[in-house]
């Protein structure tokens, strides 16, 4: 357990060591798999004042999560809960859920963020998954906050140069971001 002024971090868990591989083995495991067979770790983080992260932030944050499974196909789940104020905006309750599987070799993940930011509802959901042997596919299922809307998909066959997709961003009133950015902006984005 680590603690500081207005924050605490604790972690616990266990790991199973990998079996020794004879030097003559054709396919010796590499990376973390050479040392560990499996892992089961948990963490919690509590920030009593988000102002220690940035002076423009106020509120609290609680995060917890778990990383477990064979080191060649780890699974991770994390939950974040916050009361957040940016540049003096009304505090709003926010939650985020992250779920990931198949790490690091065949990753898939989803994230959902919901709550109230600057007095308005925020809703975001996105996924990332494997596409074939080497590719990735990402999808922003929904994104909405004030007049801002976001959605789209992106795929990569094997390299970034092979990628393609479309992301749609529409902001009916850029002034919606004034409070968060500390700027006075006008117009719209389509």
């Amino acid at each position: 357990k680590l603690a500081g002024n207005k924050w605490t971090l604790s972690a616990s868990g266990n790991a199973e060591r990998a079996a020794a591989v004879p030097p003559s083995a054709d396919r010796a495991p590499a990376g973390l798999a050479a040392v560990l067979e499996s892992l089961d770790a948990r963490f919690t983080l509590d920030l009593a004042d988000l102002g220690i992260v940035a002076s423009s932030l106020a509120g609290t944050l609680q995060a917890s999560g778990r990383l477990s499974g064979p080191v060649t196909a780890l699974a991770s789940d994390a939950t974040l809960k916050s009361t957040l104020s940016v540049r003096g905006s009304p505090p709003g309750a926010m939650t985020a859920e992250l779920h990931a599987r198949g790490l690091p070799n065949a990753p898939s993940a989803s994230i959902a963020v919901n709550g109230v930011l600057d007095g308005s509802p925020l809703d975001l959901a996105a996924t990332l998954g494997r596409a074939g042997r080497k590719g990735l596919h990402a999808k922003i299922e929904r994104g909405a906050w004030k007049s801002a809307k976001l959605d789209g998909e992106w795929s990569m066959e094997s390299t970034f140069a092979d990628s393609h997709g479309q992301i749609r961003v529409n902001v009916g009133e850029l002034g919606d971001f004034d409070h968060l950015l500390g700027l006075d902006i006008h117009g719209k984005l389509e």
Side-chain angles (χ1 to χ4, degrees):
K1 182 175 184 176
L2 299 172
N5 186 20
K6 302 181 183 178
W7 65 272
T8 60
L9 172 66
S10 61
S12 64
N14 57 56
E16 186 177 324
R17 290 182 128 172
V21 177
S24 62
D26 289 338
R27 296 187 54 99
L32 191 58
V35 181
L36 296 177
E37 180 77 25
S38 65
L39 180 65
D40 186 9
R42 297 175 191 273
F43 78 91
T44 59
L45 171 66
D46 288 307
L47 293 175
D49 179 5
L50 288 171
I52 66 174
V53 176
S55 61
S56 59
L57 301 178
T60 61
L61 172 77
Q62 297 83 37
S64 62
R66 181 177 183 189
L67 181 65
S68 63
V71 296
T72 56
L74 289 166
S76 180
D77 296 294
T79 301
L80 287 84
K81 295 180 182 179
S82 178
T83 301
L84 177 64
S85 171
V86 180
R87 296 189 196 320
S89 68
M94 303 275 293
T95 60
E97 294 275 339
L98 171 68
H99 304 284
R101 302 288 178 265
L103 302 171
N105 300 327
S108 67
S110 66
I111 185 166
V113 181
N114 296 283
V116 176
L117 179 62
D118 194 23
S120 294
L122 171 71
D123 183 26
L124 174 67
T127 59
L128 173 71
R130 224 11 154 176
R133 287 181 37 124
K134 296 182 180 180
L136 292 173
H137 180 80
K139 181 176 183 180
I140 300 169
E141 296 172 357
R142 65 185 179 277
W145 178 73
K146 292 191 178 188
S147 69
K149 306 291 183 253
L150 173 68
D151 67 69
E153 292 189 58
W154 170 80
S155 293
M156 180 183 79
E157 300 300 324
S158 61
T159 66
F160 193 72
D162 299 332
S163 66
H164 56 89
Q166 180 178 345
I167 296 194
R168 290 171 293 283
V169 178
N170 185 316
V171 182
E173 177 52 58
L174 288 172
D176 288 345
F177 292 90
D178 283 359
H179 212 161
L180 298 181
L181 301 175
L183 301 170
D184 185 22
I185 54 178
H186 302 280
K188 61 183 180 178
L189 178 65
E190 294 180 340

